[in-house]
Amino acid sequence: MTTDVQCILRAHGITRTFPGVRALDNVQLQLRAGEVHALMGQNGAGKSTLIKVLTGACAADAGSIELEGNVVQPQSPLDAQRCGISTVYQEVNLCPNLSVAENIFAGRYPRHSWLKGAGINWKAVNEHAQQVLAKLDLNIDVTRQLSGYPVAIQQMVAIARAINISARVLILDEPTSSLDDHEVKQLFAVLSRLREQGMAILFVTHFLDQVYEISDRITVLRNGAFVGEYLTKEFNRSALIAAMVGREFVLNSEASKTQRNDTSDTTPVLEIRQLSRKGQVHPVDLQIRQGEIVGVAGLLGSGRTELARLIFGLDRADHGSVNIDGNHVALDSPADAVAHGLGLCPEERKTEGIVAELSVRENIILALQARNGLLPCLSLKQQQELAEKFVAMLGIKTASIETPIGQLSGGNQQKALLARWLAINPRLLILDEPTRGIDIAAKQELTNAIVDLARKGMAVLFISAEIDEVLRESDRILVMRDRRKAGELAGGCNEHAVYSLIAEHA
C-alpha cells in the first residue's frame, strides 16, 4: 500500500472528556479507499469512544471529521449512515422480534411502484434480503424471526444490514467475537470484496491473527492518545504489543506450567458423572483436582457454556451426579454452588455478570455478601478495603471504587468479576470466556492471575473459543462437540489433536 491512496475519512485532533477521565486526547485517524484499517489498543485506550464520535453517538469536545474532503458532524448513528458511515457493533443491536429481512431493510423497505404511497413490497423485501445474505454465503429463512437464530447468525445479519446500506466507510467493532472459524472466513471474504470495490473499512478486534490476516494498516491508541499508524506488513506482533502497552511485553511461556504442583493423586475437588440436560448437554464425565486448570475446547455451539451452567446450578441437570471432595452434593441453584465453594464468571458479563448501575465496590462484594446472607452485613469500611485490595491486585482501571461498573471498559469489568469470586476464596472457579473482548495486556494479566491461583491450589475450569489459549493455559483439555464430550487430551498437545477430536465421526 502506498501513502497516496485516496483518504476517505480523516479524523483530526479528536478530544473527548468524561467526568474525571479524558477518554480521547488529540486523536487522529485516516481511513483510505480499498483498505482494511485495524484500530488497536488496550481496553480503556479510547477505541470505543472514538467509534462513538465517528458515528455520532457522542460529540467530540474538539477536533474535526472529514468525509471525502467535506467536514461532517454526525449527530446520531442514523445521521452517520446518511453521511456514508455504517457500523456493526460487538453486541447485536437489531430488533429480535422482527424477521431477518425486516431487520436488514428496516427504515428502507422497498414499496410497490404502481401507486404513490403504496404499501411495503414484502416479496421484494424478502427476495432482496436473501440476495444480500447470499453475499455472506448465508442461506437461512429470511422470513423467520431474528430471535429464533443463534447469536452468530444474528451477528451476520447485522453485518448484512451494514453492507447493504450505501456507505463509503464500514466500521466493524469486534464483529467476529461470536463467529466460529468458518464464519470468520466468510466475513473476511466479504471484506476482501468490499475492499476491492474501494470501501474504507475500520476493523476493531482483539484477535491478533485476524489483524494480520485481513488488515492493511494499523492505528494504535494508548490511554486515549494516538500512538501511531503503521503498515501491517511492516509492523510485527512484538512491536504492536509494545505500542499498545507502552513497554516490551512477554507472552506466557510453558515454563509457568512446569512450576505447578503435581496433584494427580489427590481427591478431585469436583467430579461429575454422566451429568446431562435434555436438549443442552449429553452425559459428561469430568474430574478437576486441586491446583489444576482444566480447559474446555470446542466450536461455537459445542456445549461449553451449557456444561458450565449445569455445574454451577444455573440449569438443573436431568441426569447424573456431582461430587465435591468425594462427597455427593446437589447443585440445584447457584446458591448451592457458592455454598460448596464454586464461583462462575459467565460468558455474557454484561447481562449475566455485572450490575451496571452499581459501583465497582458493590459489584466486587456481591458474592461474599450473598454467601454470608443478609446478616451480618459487611461494613462500608470492610467493603472499601476489599475493593481497594482487588483493584490494586488485578490492576482494575477505574477513577474510583465508587464509579458505576458500567462505565468501565470490558476488560476492567471482567477483572472486577474475577475479583468478586476471589473475594470468597472458592475451591473451584469456572471461567467462561474470561478473555473475550478484552485487550492483549488484560488477557495476559488475567491468564497470569489464573495460573497463580492454580499454583496456590485453586481448581479452575477454563472455557475459551480460542484453541491456542486453551492449549496454553490448561493441564488437561476436555473437548466438546455437538454438546457432548468428544474426549480428553493431556496438556502439551497441539491444535491438530483438538481439531481431530472435534472432527471425529463428523
Side-chain angles (χ1 to χ4, degrees):
M1 296 293 171
T2 60
T3 56
D4 60 355
V5 177
Q6 180 192 4
C7 184
I8 299 295
L9 182 145
R10 178 180 284 108
H12 179 73
I14 303 297
T15 300
R16 171 71 191 198
T17 301
F18 295 103
V21 178
R22 175 158 285 195
L24 296 174
D25 186 4
N26 196 34
V27 167
Q28 61 185 18
L29 176 71
Q30 295 186 75
L31 304 181
R32 298 165 177 83
E35 288 189 355
V36 175
H37 195 123
L39 180 62
M40 302 294 289
Q42 299 189 61
N43 283 94
K47 304 186 301 295
S48 296
T49 305
L50 179 58
I51 290 174
K52 289 177 181 178
V53 170
L54 295 176
T55 59
C58 73
D61 299 326
S64 63
I65 302 171
E66 295 180 13
L67 189 63
E68 296 186 297
N70 300 311
V71 175
V72 295
Q73 294 180 315
Q75 302 300 305
S76 67
L78 181 58
D79 190 28
Q81 285 183 13
R82 292 175 180 142
C83 292
I85 303 172
S86 186
T87 309
V88 175
Y89 296 97
Q90 177 180 358
E91 296 180 0
V92 178
N93 57 346
L94 300 179
C95 300
N97 59 318
L98 299 182
S99 72
V100 169
E102 287 174 305
N103 271 284
I104 292 175
F105 284 95
R108 302 169 294 108
Y109 296 122
R111 295 183 177 272
H112 291 286
S113 58
W114 49 269
L115 179 66
K116 183 177 180 180
I120 296 171
N121 185 341
W122 289 110
K123 181 179 178 182
V125 169
N126 294 330
E127 288 178 351
H128 292 168
Q130 203 78 58
Q131 293 168 7
V132 172
L133 291 175
K135 296 179 182 179
L136 300 180
D137 291 330
L138 193 61
N139 183 19
I140 61 175
D141 182 0
V142 298
T143 65
R144 184 179 171 188
Q145 192 166 291
L146 183 68
S147 62
Y149 288 104
V151 173
I153 297 298
Q154 294 182 29
Q155 181 73 65
M156 296 294 275
V157 171
I159 293 167
R161 172 177 169 79
I163 65 174
N164 188 54
I165 295 172
S166 180
R168 296 293 287 126
V169 175
L170 176 62
I171 299 174
L172 301 171
D173 185 8
E174 295 286 353
T176 62
S177 61
S178 298
L179 306 183
D180 62 25
D181 290 343
H182 175 66
E183 290 164 333
V184 170
K185 290 185 183 299
Q186 288 181 325
L187 171 62
F188 283 3
V190 171
L191 295 186
S192 295
R193 290 198 292 270
L194 293 174
R195 175 166 53 190
E196 291 170 0
Q197 295 167 15
M199 182 173 284
I201 302 169
L202 182 64
F203 183 64
V204 183
T205 185
H206 293 299
F207 299 112
L208 260 66
D209 288 345
Q210 295 178 9
V211 169
Y212 285 93
E213 180 178 352
I214 194 64
S215 75
D216 302 292
R217 294 180 195 264
I218 301 171
T219 285
V220 178
L221 302 183
R222 185 172 69 242
N223 297 328
F226 173 79
V227 175
E229 178 191 284
Y230 313 89
L231 284 171
T232 305
K233 63 184 179 182
E234 299 175 358
F235 195 49
N236 63 40
R237 297 182 186 218
S238 297
L240 172 56
I241 295 172
M244 289 170 59
V245 303
R247 55 186 168 85
E248 293 299 322
F249 207 79
V250 180
L251 297 178
N252 270 342
S253 67
E254 291 300 314
S256 65
K257 291 189 198 177
T258 63
Q259 299 173 21
R260 301 182 197 170
N261 295 324
D262 181 7
T263 58
S264 57
D265 294 331
T266 61
T267 301
V269 173
L270 172 78
E271 181 177 16
I272 60 174
R273 297 175 182 171
Q274 296 294 288
L275 197 68
S276 66
R277 180 179 171 89
K278 186 177 181 180
Q280 291 191 9
V281 183
H282 294 279
V284 173
D285 292 336
L286 176 66
Q287 294 182 345
I288 307 176
R289 292 178 169 82
Q290 180 182 3
E292 186 178 37
I293 299 178
V294 175
V296 181
L299 301 180
L300 190 69
S302 61
R304 300 171 313 214
T305 293
E306 289 81 358
L307 177 62
R309 291 178 61 88
L310 277 187
I311 294 173
F312 196 66
L314 283 165
D315 297 322
R316 184 171 295 188
D318 297 328
H319 181 73
S321 63
V322 179
N323 284 3
I324 301 289
D325 295 325
N327 300 311
H328 176 73
V329 299
L331 300 181
D332 295 329
S333 69
D336 291 338
V338 172
H340 284 94
L342 276 62
L344 168 68
C345 289
E347 178 183 21
E348 300 295 338
R349 64 171 172 264
K350 288 194 174 181
T351 56
E352 298 178 353
I354 67 168
V355 183
E357 298 79 9
L358 296 185
S359 68
V360 173
R361 167 182 58 82
E362 290 168 317
N363 270 272
I364 288 176
I365 63 95
L366 273 178
L368 181 58
Q369 187 63 70
R371 189 189 66 177
N372 293 347
L374 293 178
L375 296 174
C377 184
L378 292 172
S379 69
L380 180 59
K381 182 180 179 181
Q382 289 174 314
Q383 295 179 31
Q384 290 171 336
E385 289 176 349
L386 198 66
E388 294 287 4
K389 170 186 172 182
F390 286 110
V391 164
M393 178 189 299
L394 298 176
I396 300 172
K397 293 182 180 178
T398 177
S400 163
I401 60 171
E402 302 305 327
T403 300
I405 197 172
Q407 294 183 13
L408 271 58
S409 66
N412 287 302
Q413 290 176 2
Q414 190 68 60
K415 290 180 185 179
L417 277 181
L418 181 59
R420 175 189 298 171
W421 294 110
L422 294 184
I424 70 168
N425 192 27
R427 299 290 318 287
L428 168 67
L429 186 58
I430 304 170
L431 302 172
D432 191 0
E433 298 289 3
T435 64
R436 173 180 289 175
I438 67 175
D439 62 80
I440 295 164
K443 282 186 180 185
Q444 188 65 35
E445 290 165 355
L446 276 171
T447 53
N448 284 346
I450 292 164
V451 170
D452 287 341
L453 291 171
R455 285 177 183 161
K456 295 172 182 176
M458 188 179 294
V460 179
L461 187 65
F462 183 84
I463 302 170
S464 176
E466 296 185 53
I467 302 297
D468 62 334
E469 188 172 63
V470 174
L471 292 171
R472 187 168 59 247
E473 304 304 328
S474 305
D475 300 299
R476 283 188 297 118
I477 300 169
L478 169 69
V479 181
M480 298 287 291
R481 176 183 175 272
D482 294 337
R483 301 192 175 187
R484 67 177 73 243
K485 178 179 176 179
E488 282 191 27
L489 296 168
C493 65
N494 56 31
E495 285 192 8
H496 178 73
V498 175
Y499 283 119
S500 294
L501 268 181
I502 292 173
E504 190 175 352
H505 305 305

mmCIF file of all heavy atoms in Angstrom, residues 138-160:
data_model
loop_
_atom_site.group_PDB
_atom_site.id
_atom_site.type_symbol
_atom_site.label_atom_id
_atom_site.label_comp_id
_atom_site.label_asym_id
_atom_site.label_seq_id
_atom_site.Cartn_x
_atom_site.Cartn_y
_atom_site.Cartn_z
ATOM 1 N N LEU A 138 -24.638 -17.080 3.296
ATOM 2 C CA LEU A 138 -25.552 -17.459 4.362
ATOM 3 C C LEU A 138 -26.918 -17.746 3.760
ATOM 4 O O LEU A 138 -27.543 -16.871 3.145
ATOM 5 C CB LEU A 138 -25.645 -16.328 5.390
ATOM 6 C CG LEU A 138 -26.307 -16.655 6.727
ATOM 7 C CD1 LEU A 138 -25.540 -17.757 7.458
ATOM 8 C CD2 LEU A 138 -26.379 -15.407 7.599
ATOM 9 N N ASN A 139 -27.372 -18.966 3.917
ATOM 10 C CA ASN A 139 -28.662 -19.383 3.360
ATOM 11 C C ASN A 139 -29.596 -19.753 4.502
ATOM 12 O O ASN A 139 -29.557 -20.856 5.026
ATOM 13 C CB ASN A 139 -28.475 -20.566 2.408
ATOM 14 C CG ASN A 139 -29.784 -20.992 1.755
ATOM 15 O OD1 ASN A 139 -30.747 -20.228 1.728
ATOM 16 N ND2 ASN A 139 -29.822 -22.209 1.238
ATOM 17 N N ILE A 140 -30.424 -18.801 4.911
ATOM 18 C CA ILE A 140 -31.375 -19.031 6.003
ATOM 19 C C ILE A 140 -32.745 -18.512 5.590
ATOM 20 O O ILE A 140 -32.880 -17.799 4.584
ATOM 21 C CB ILE A 140 -30.929 -18.332 7.304
ATOM 22 C CG1 ILE A 140 -30.831 -16.812 7.096
ATOM 23 C CG2 ILE A 140 -29.604 -18.889 7.790
ATOM 24 C CD1 ILE A 140 -30.523 -16.032 8.359
ATOM 25 N N ASP A 141 -33.740 -18.848 6.379
ATOM 26 C CA ASP A 141 -35.101 -18.377 6.134
ATOM 27 C C ASP A 141 -35.211 -16.927 6.591
ATOM 28 O O ASP A 141 -35.225 -16.647 7.792
ATOM 29 C CB ASP A 141 -36.092 -19.259 6.900
ATOM 30 C CG ASP A 141 -37.543 -18.857 6.661
ATOM 31 O OD1 ASP A 141 -37.792 -17.889 5.906
ATOM 32 O OD2 ASP A 141 -38.435 -19.509 7.242
ATOM 33 N N VAL A 142 -35.299 -15.987 5.635
ATOM 34 C CA VAL A 142 -35.305 -14.565 5.983
ATOM 35 C C VAL A 142 -36.643 -14.113 6.545
ATOM 36 O O VAL A 142 -36.745 -13.006 7.088
ATOM 37 C CB VAL A 142 -34.931 -13.695 4.765
ATOM 38 C CG1 VAL A 142 -33.536 -14.014 4.292
ATOM 39 C CG2 VAL A 142 -35.951 -13.848 3.640
ATOM 40 N N THR A 143 -37.668 -14.954 6.440
ATOM 41 C CA THR A 143 -38.981 -14.587 6.997
ATOM 42 C C THR A 143 -39.099 -14.999 8.461
ATOM 43 O O THR A 143 -40.055 -14.621 9.138
ATOM 44 C CB THR A 143 -40.114 -15.245 6.200
ATOM 45 O OG1 THR A 143 -40.042 -16.671 6.342
ATOM 46 C CG2 THR A 143 -40.021 -14.883 4.722
ATOM 47 N N ARG A 144 -38.118 -15.745 8.954
ATOM 48 C CA ARG A 144 -38.141 -16.206 10.343
ATOM 49 C C ARG A 144 -37.707 -15.079 11.278
ATOM 50 O O ARG A 144 -36.860 -14.253 10.940
ATOM 51 C CB ARG A 144 -37.202 -17.396 10.496
ATOM 52 C CG ARG A 144 -37.192 -18.032 11.876
ATOM 53 C CD ARG A 144 -36.247 -19.221 11.883
ATOM 54 N NE ARG A 144 -36.032 -19.752 13.230
ATOM 55 C CZ ARG A 144 -35.139 -20.684 13.530
ATOM 56 N NH1 ARG A 144 -34.384 -21.201 12.567
ATOM 57 N NH2 ARG A 144 -34.987 -21.107 14.762
ATOM 58 N N GLN A 145 -38.299 -15.047 12.473
ATOM 59 C CA GLN A 145 -37.966 -14.034 13.460
ATOM 60 C C GLN A 145 -36.494 -14.136 13.851
ATOM 61 O O GLN A 145 -35.959 -15.220 14.057
ATOM 62 C CB GLN A 145 -38.856 -14.217 14.693
ATOM 63 C CG GLN A 145 -38.815 -13.062 15.681
ATOM 64 C CD GLN A 145 -39.940 -13.139 16.698
ATOM 65 O OE1 GLN A 145 -41.108 -12.952 16.361
ATOM 66 N NE2 GLN A 145 -39.590 -13.431 17.931
ATOM 67 N N LEU A 146 -35.821 -12.991 13.959
ATOM 68 C CA LEU A 146 -34.380 -12.966 14.228
ATOM 69 C C LEU A 146 -34.033 -13.677 15.526
ATOM 70 O O LEU A 146 -33.001 -14.348 15.626
ATOM 71 C CB LEU A 146 -33.886 -11.515 14.280
ATOM 72 C CG LEU A 146 -32.389 -11.331 14.491
ATOM 73 C CD1 LEU A 146 -31.606 -11.808 13.277
ATOM 74 C CD2 LEU A 146 -32.057 -9.877 14.797
ATOM 75 N N SER A 147 -34.872 -13.537 16.551
ATOM 76 C CA SER A 147 -34.589 -14.143 17.853
ATOM 77 C C SER A 147 -34.527 -15.663 17.797
ATOM 78 O O SER A 147 -34.006 -16.298 18.712
ATOM 79 C CB SER A 147 -35.641 -13.712 18.875
ATOM 80 O OG SER A 147 -36.930 -14.152 18.476
ATOM 81 N N GLY A 148 -35.040 -16.255 16.708
ATOM 82 C CA GLY A 148 -35.009 -17.705 16.560
ATOM 83 C C GLY A 148 -33.659 -18.233 16.129
ATOM 84 O O GLY A 148 -33.467 -19.451 16.067
ATOM 85 N N TYR A 149 -32.744 -17.329 15.824
ATOM 86 C CA TYR A 149 -31.411 -17.732 15.385
ATOM 87 C C TYR A 149 -30.385 -17.480 16.493
ATOM 88 O O TYR A 149 -30.548 -16.574 17.301
ATOM 89 C CB TYR A 149 -31.003 -16.960 14.127
ATOM 90 C CG TYR A 149 -31.757 -17.383 12.881
ATOM 91 C CD1 TYR A 149 -32.776 -16.597 12.362
ATOM 92 C CD2 TYR A 149 -31.432 -18.573 12.234
ATOM 93 C CE1 TYR A 149 -33.467 -16.985 11.223
ATOM 94 C CE2 TYR A 149 -32.120 -18.972 11.100
ATOM 95 C CZ TYR A 149 -33.134 -18.178 10.595
ATOM 96 O OH TYR A 149 -33.822 -18.572 9.472
ATOM 97 N N PRO A 150 -29.298 -18.264 16.490
ATOM 98 C CA PRO A 150 -28.247 -18.051 17.491
ATOM 99 C C PRO A 150 -27.526 -16.724 17.269
ATOM 100 O O PRO A 150 -27.640 -16.094 16.217
ATOM 101 C CB PRO A 150 -27.304 -19.243 17.278
ATOM 102 C CG PRO A 150 -27.565 -19.698 15.889
ATOM 103 C CD PRO A 150 -29.009 -19.424 15.632
ATOM 104 N N VAL A 151 -26.743 -16.323 18.282
ATOM 105 C CA VAL A 151 -26.065 -15.024 18.250
ATOM 106 C C VAL A 151 -25.174 -14.890 17.025
ATOM 107 O O VAL A 151 -25.091 -13.819 16.422
ATOM 108 C CB VAL A 151 -25.241 -14.828 19.539
ATOM 109 C CG1 VAL A 151 -24.403 -13.558 19.441
ATOM 110 C CG2 VAL A 151 -26.157 -14.751 20.754
ATOM 111 N N ALA A 152 -24.504 -15.968 16.644
ATOM 112 C CA ALA A 152 -23.599 -15.897 15.491
ATOM 113 C C ALA A 152 -24.348 -15.504 14.220
ATOM 114 O O ALA A 152 -23.867 -14.678 13.434
ATOM 115 C CB ALA A 152 -22.902 -17.236 15.290
ATOM 116 N N ILE A 153 -25.515 -16.076 14.017
ATOM 117 C CA ILE A 153 -26.315 -15.739 12.839
ATOM 118 C C ILE A 153 -26.820 -14.305 12.942
ATOM 119 O O ILE A 153 -26.832 -13.556 11.951
ATOM 120 C CB ILE A 153 -27.499 -16.717 12.692
ATOM 121 C CG1 ILE A 153 -26.976 -18.142 12.467
ATOM 122 C CG2 ILE A 153 -28.392 -16.292 11.533
ATOM 123 C CD1 ILE A 153 -26.163 -18.320 11.214
ATOM 124 N N GLN A 154 -27.237 -13.899 14.148
ATOM 125 C CA GLN A 154 -27.696 -12.522 14.327
ATOM 126 C C GLN A 154 -26.582 -11.535 13.990
ATOM 127 O O GLN A 154 -26.826 -10.474 13.399
ATOM 128 C CB GLN A 154 -28.173 -12.318 15.761
ATOM 129 C CG GLN A 154 -29.422 -13.121 16.123
ATOM 130 C CD GLN A 154 -29.906 -12.853 17.534
ATOM 131 O OE1 GLN A 154 -29.706 -11.766 18.065
ATOM 132 N NE2 GLN A 154 -30.538 -13.844 18.151
ATOM 133 N N GLN A 155 -25.348 -11.876 14.358
ATOM 134 C CA GLN A 155 -24.215 -11.006 14.047
ATOM 135 C C GLN A 155 -24.021 -10.888 12.543
ATOM 136 O O GLN A 155 -23.774 -9.803 12.015
ATOM 137 C CB GLN A 155 -22.947 -11.558 14.692
ATOM 138 C CG GLN A 155 -21.709 -10.713 14.448
ATOM 139 C CD GLN A 155 -21.733 -9.428 15.246
ATOM 140 O OE1 GLN A 155 -21.694 -9.436 16.460
ATOM 141 N NE2 GLN A 155 -21.793 -8.308 14.549
ATOM 142 N N MET A 156 -24.158 -11.995 11.843
ATOM 143 C CA MET A 156 -24.012 -11.978 10.392
ATOM 144 C C MET A 156 -25.122 -11.157 9.738
ATOM 145 O O MET A 156 -24.902 -10.476 8.731
ATOM 146 C CB MET A 156 -24.019 -13.407 9.848
ATOM 147 C CG MET A 156 -22.851 -14.257 10.318
ATOM 148 S SD MET A 156 -21.250 -13.690 9.708
ATOM 149 C CE MET A 156 -21.210 -14.486 8.101
ATOM 150 N N VAL A 157 -26.318 -11.198 10.300
ATOM 151 C CA VAL A 157 -27.424 -10.385 9.782
ATOM 152 C C VAL A 157 -27.116 -8.899 9.971
ATOM 153 O O VAL A 157 -27.386 -8.072 9.095
ATOM 154 C CB VAL A 157 -28.760 -10.759 10.470
ATOM 155 C CG1 VAL A 157 -29.870 -9.772 10.096
ATOM 156 C CG2 VAL A 157 -29.165 -12.178 10.091
ATOM 157 N N ALA A 158 -26.520 -8.561 11.124
ATOM 158 C CA ALA A 158 -26.148 -7.166 11.370
ATOM 159 C C ALA A 158 -25.113 -6.699 10.343
ATOM 160 O O ALA A 158 -25.165 -5.559 9.851
ATOM 161 C CB ALA A 158 -25.584 -7.020 12.785
ATOM 162 N N ILE A 159 -24.190 -7.575 10.007
ATOM 163 C CA ILE A 159 -23.183 -7.246 9.005
ATOM 164 C C ILE A 159 -23.842 -7.095 7.634
ATOM 165 O O ILE A 159 -23.521 -6.182 6.864
ATOM 166 C CB ILE A 159 -22.081 -8.320 8.978
ATOM 167 C CG1 ILE A 159 -21.295 -8.274 10.295
ATOM 168 C CG2 ILE A 159 -21.155 -8.139 7.782
ATOM 169 C CD1 ILE A 159 -20.398 -9.466 10.510
ATOM 170 N N ALA A 160 -24.795 -7.974 7.335
ATOM 171 C CA ALA A 160 -25.508 -7.884 6.063
ATOM 172 C C ALA A 160 -26.244 -6.561 5.945
ATOM 173 O O ALA A 160 -26.242 -5.918 4.885
ATOM 174 C CB ALA A 160 -26.488 -9.051 5.935
#
